[in-house]
Amino acid sequence: QVQLVESGGGLVQPGGSLRLSCAASGRFFGIGNMGWYRQAPGKQRELVAVITTSDSTNYADSLKGRFTISRDNAKNTVYLQMNSLKPEDTVVYYCNAVVVVTPTRRDDYWGQGTQVTVSS
């Protein structure tokens, strides 16, 4: 069974930084695209950033320049560096990964979510 475990959320002051991590564990053949999404109460989950196996990245337009996604394939881990945080970044962040569970099957997995709160 595959699990995505997130860490790094918490409380930060406006203008501060946080780094989220998400590590995949379990039995699998490999990991494809990895990404971060976020969801505010009562709203749809939205894309923050995604990174491919070749390190190509794509960001939500509103977050470009403040957030940076990266991955460590040896550790099956994806990171999200968040800088210049604003109160409106206060939401739950979810990790996502496309996992190669068999040579012919890929499944979509989600982390449990980590709360980020930006407040003075």
Side-chain angles (χ1 to χ4, degrees), residues 77-93:
T77 299
V78 63
Y79 305 96
L80 184 69
Q81 178 67 43
M82 303 185 294
N83 298 327
S84 302
L85 283 162
K86 305 175 181 180
E88 51 263 42
D89 295 319
T90 297
V91 290
V92 178
Y93 288 75

Side-chain angles (χ1 to χ4, degrees), residues 11 21 36 69:
L11 174 64
S21 300
W36 290 94
I69 190 171

Side-chain angles (χ1 to χ4, degrees), residues 25 34 36 43 55 79 96 100:
S25 63
M34 303 184 83
W36 290 94
K43 294 189 176 181
D55 288 341
Y79 305 96
N96 172 264
V100 183

